[in-house]
């Protein structure tokens, strides 16, 4: 005799159903990084979540950074690590390490994990299929001049043709490096890369996984989580210079994606196992949601 399923389990499945209907066939870009990439248990949970998204008919596209591991390898090589406004200062040696660690190691680790969990994945970086065209990023210093962060790139153009080909059968996994027209490689912030990919694909959502609860009004107080904000509010806070560190490129990326047609951008706590599924398929919603201005 088969066991009668427990009510809470059925309730959970039923709670997910309207979301599965809403997202079916839609593209969800996931920026993977921070804690969810650093801990073995969280890495497995993340892979399970992404594979599940593909199985229930969504089109997940992963874009990843790898800040912690790049820093670790730079330390091992005795290279200096420096961040300005949340961006890694990148000389020629730094870019070489970034490319090796992101493309050679982390990208393949993610691909392998997704494969093992039952959905084949294909890894690529901005160079593959000319996905990204990058130019040197000029960062304003606040006094009318530009700061030189070295080979830190901005994405000029995204050609999603290669992604669309891959996504028909596989989960694309994109490492956030790319080159300019002369062939010089650049380190690209993964939040910016995720926003560029999401807008170019016309994604429904972009989800940024990070190692805090979300956007905090006071970075030192997790009780000050901003659970929802429209893009105008985000732009105002950015212009007021109130956003610091790694949250700066992340919130900029949220604003850019939503301004360019992505319906919603989310920042979720990647330290919580299965935060991706919780955000997408439950009523609870966690983290910060950035919505268009006119809602
Ligand atoms: N207002 C704020 N709210 C939340 N976090 C903030 C805020 N201001 C600064 N931060 C910092 O931003 C960090 C998140 O960005 P960070 O670049 O370090 O991680 P990530 O982008 O998730 O990972 P990675 O860069 O490795 O891909 C937080 O750990 C926190 O220290
Ligand atoms: Mg970051």
């Amino acid at each position: 005799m088969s066991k009668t399923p427990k009510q809470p389990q059925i309730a959970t499945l039923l709670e997910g159903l309207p979301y599965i209907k809403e997202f079916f066939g839609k593209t969800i870009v996931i920026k993977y990084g921070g804690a969810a990439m650093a801990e073995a248990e969280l890495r497995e949970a993340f892979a399970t979540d992404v594979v599940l998204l593909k199985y229930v008919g969504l089109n997940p596209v992963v874009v990843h950074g790898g800040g912690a591991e790049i820093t670790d390898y730079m330390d091992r090589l005795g290279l200096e690590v420096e961040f300005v406004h949340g961006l890694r200062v990148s000389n020629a040696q730094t870019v070489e390490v970034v490319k090796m660690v992101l493309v050679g190691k982390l990208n393949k680790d993610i691909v392998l994990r997704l494969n093992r969990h039952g959905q084949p994945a294909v890894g690529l970086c901005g160079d593959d299929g000319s996905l990204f065209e990058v130019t040197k990023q000029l960062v304003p210093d606040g006094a009318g001049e530009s700061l030189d962060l070295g080979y830190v790139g901005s994405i000029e153009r995204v050609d999603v043709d290669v992604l669309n080909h891959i996504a028909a059968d596989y989960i694309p996994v994109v490492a956030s490096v790319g080159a300019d027209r002369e062939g010089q490689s650049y380190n690209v912030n993964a939040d910016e890369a995720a926003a560029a990919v999401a807008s170019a694909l016309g994604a429904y959502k972009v989800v940024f996984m990070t190692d805090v609860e979300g956007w905090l009004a006071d970075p030192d107080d997790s009780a000050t989580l901003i659970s929802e904000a429209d893009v105008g509010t985000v732009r105002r806070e950015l212009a007021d210079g109130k956003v610091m560190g790694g949250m700066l490129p992340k919130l900029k990326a949220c604003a850019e994606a939503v301004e360019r047609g992505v319906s919603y951008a989310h920042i979720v706590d990647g330290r919580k196992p299965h935060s991706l599924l919780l955000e997408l398929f439950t009523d609870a919603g966690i983290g910060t949601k950035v919505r268009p201005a006119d809602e």
Side-chain angles (χ1 to χ4, degrees), residues 31-34 65-68 86 189-191 209-212 214-219 243-247 250:
K31 191 281 179 138
Y32 182 43
N189 179 270
D191 297 324
M209 302 188 63
T210 187
D211 54 4
V212 277
W215 177 22
L216 307 172
D218 172 1
V243 186
M244 309 286 165
M247 201 41 59
K250 213 174 299 298

Side-chain angles (χ1 to χ4, degrees), residues 103-291:
V103 184
K105 181 173 189 297
L106 294 175
N107 186 270
K108 298 309 145 196
D109 287 350
I110 301 164
V111 165
L112 191 55
R113 211 168 296 115
L114 292 170
N115 290 345
R116 271 186 28 245
H117 280 79
Q119 280 284 354
V122 171
L124 61 173
C125 76
D127 302 340
D128 294 284
S130 301
L131 178 62
F132 299 152
E133 187 183 307
V134 174
T135 53
K136 186 181 169 84
Q137 182 167 156
L138 299 170
V139 180
D141 68 353
E145 299 288 315
S146 288
L147 295 167
D148 189 355
L149 305 186
Y151 298 112
V152 175
S154 255
I155 298 179
E156 268 299 286
R157 205 178 51 87
V158 181
D159 185 343
V160 287
D161 192 49
V162 64
L163 283 185
N164 285 327
H165 277 288
I166 291 171
D169 294 304
Y170 305 94
I171 300 173
V173 180
V174 181
S176 63
V177 292
D180 66 14
R181 286 188 193 187
E182 279 70 49
Q184 169 65 51
S185 287
Y186 287 83
N187 178 16
V188 178
N189 179 270
D191 297 324
E192 187 191 329
V197 166
S199 354
L201 283 172
Y204 186 58
K205 280 178 186 270
V206 55
V207 182
F208 298 89
M209 302 188 63
T210 187
D211 54 4
V212 277
E213 283 76 3
W215 177 22
L216 307 172
D218 172 1
D220 299 320
D221 183 359
S222 61
T224 64
L225 174 73
I226 299 166
S227 53
E228 192 164 337
D230 69 32
V231 76
T233 308
V234 173
R235 282 291 180 204
R236 265 194 309 282
E237 296 286 313
L238 286 169
D240 288 352
K242 286 187 192 156
V243 186
M244 309 286 165
M247 201 41 59
L248 190 59
K250 213 174 299 298
L251 275 179
K252 265 190 201 158
C254 287
E256 252 157 53
V258 170
E259 282 162 357
R260 292 193 204 151
V262 176
S263 298
Y264 300 104
H266 298 263
I267 301 172
V268 303
D269 190 347
R271 297 169 306 180
K272 293 195 181 109
H274 305 292
S275 51
L276 193 54
L277 295 188
L278 278 170
E279 178 57 54
L280 291 173
F281 295 136
T282 69
D283 297 334
I286 54 168
T288 300
K289 175 179 182 174
V290 177
R291 57 180 159 77

